[in-house]
Amino acid sequence: MTLDRILQSQGFGTRRYCGDLIAAGLVEVNGELCEDPRANFEVDGLRLTVDGEEWLACTKAYLMLNKPTGYECSQRPRHHPSVYTLLPVPLRLREVQAVGRLDHDTTGLLLLTDDGQFIHAQTSPKKMVPKVYEVTTAEPVTEAQVEALRTGVQLDDEPAPLAADACEATGERSLRLTLLQGKYHQVKRMVAAAGNHVEALHRSAIGGLALDPSLAPGEWRWLTAEDLAALRPA
């Protein structure tokens, strides 16, 4: 692909604008200055520097974000800032989307991509992708509550009880809950139905991929090939 089209595909602007950046000597490719907009390169793995900003080119973008509290997973938030404001402009312009949503007061692992097939594979109920949540509760956790969450609790708008794929107490007022569904406010509603109340909620893993502990709240990074492999069904 020509360099001007590569920059355009990465979200740096129109093809003409990207061509102007290149011709002005503001683009390096793998550490070397390139002033030819028509120069051809393979996209994936190409290391760019655009007007001083380093960028890893990719045909499809796959990211993990450590979502902080107080952000909505919406392009048009109502009451809190959008989680997309935590991303650099090129990723926002290429319209990456959250893979599922977290409530504004829920923190932790959020995947984002511009690959529609990937989003479907991770969010379709038929795929049954496990998601692990660390739950802080208002009251001490009892064995009866853990057992209820394991065997199933009845929610008002559900025809049958919903059960966690796994549940364990991790402290006096904390649980680790694994779900295969992704229903509205499911963790909060299930814990309430079991006789407790969620004070804080953090998603720590999706499938076989855990949140990178080096990411501070609000930080993101590209998913590696190993990360993507961990998200594929066994």
Side-chain angles (χ1 to χ4, degrees), residues 155-223:
L155 304 184
D156 291 340
D157 57 350
E158 292 294 331
L162 294 181
D165 185 56
C167 180
E168 62 176 324
T170 54
E172 183 183 8
R173 286 182 168 83
S174 60
L175 290 165
R176 179 170 294 120
L177 198 66
T178 303
L179 299 181
L180 300 180
Q181 309 100 336
K183 299 180 182 293
Y184 181 69
H185 291 324
Q186 185 174 350
V187 174
K188 295 175 182 178
R189 295 165 67 208
M190 286 181 65
V191 171
N196 211 318
H197 179 73
V198 173
E199 287 285 306
L201 186 59
H202 177 86
R203 185 160 67 192
S204 57
I206 297 174
L209 179 65
L211 177 64
D212 187 334
S214 70
L215 289 179
E219 291 184 343
W220 69 276
R221 70 164 174 80
W222 302 103
L223 293 185

Side-chain angles (χ1 to χ4, degrees), residues 30-49:
N30 294 331
E32 299 291 334
L33 180 66
C34 182
E35 298 179 284
D36 180 6
R38 307 299 294 168
N40 276 276
F41 300 94
E42 294 291 331
V43 177
D44 287 314
L46 198 66
R47 296 192 174 275
L48 304 170
T49 303

Side-chain angles (χ1 to χ4, degrees), residues 33-160:
L33 180 66
C34 182
E35 298 179 284
D36 180 6
R38 307 299 294 168
N40 276 276
F41 300 94
E42 294 291 331
V43 177
D44 287 314
L46 198 66
R47 296 192 174 275
L48 304 170
T49 303
V50 182
D51 198 13
E53 180 179 2
E54 295 185 358
W55 199 257
L56 180 64
C58 51
T59 303
K60 294 292 184 181
Y62 304 95
L63 325 170
M64 76 160 59
L65 172 82
N66 185 356
K67 180 190 173 296
T69 188
Y71 284 82
E72 295 183 27
C73 294
S74 172
Q75 298 281 9
R76 296 180 179 179
R78 294 185 176 182
H79 307 293
H80 303 274
S82 170
V83 72
Y84 298 103
T85 62
L86 299 170
L87 301 176
V89 171
L91 286 173
R92 294 165 64 184
L93 289 178
R94 66 189 288 178
E95 299 182 341
V96 298
Q97 301 292 320
V99 182
R101 294 190 174 192
L102 294 176
D103 296 338
H104 75 89
D105 56 351
T106 300
T107 62
L109 178 57
L110 184 67
L111 303 178
L112 302 106
T113 185
D114 54 1
D115 183 344
Q117 290 185 339
F118 179 84
I119 293 174
H120 176 74
Q122 293 297 317
T123 59
S124 171
K126 295 180 180 179
K127 302 298 183 180
M128 301 184 73
V129 177
K131 298 174 179 64
V132 182
Y133 296 89
E134 312 299 330
V135 185
T136 302
T137 60
E139 303 296 333
V141 176
T142 67
E143 290 185 11
Q145 290 168 359
V146 172
E147 184 62 19
L149 290 166
R150 285 176 180 158
T151 57
V153 292
Q154 184 66 56
L155 304 184
D156 291 340
D157 57 350
E158 292 294 331

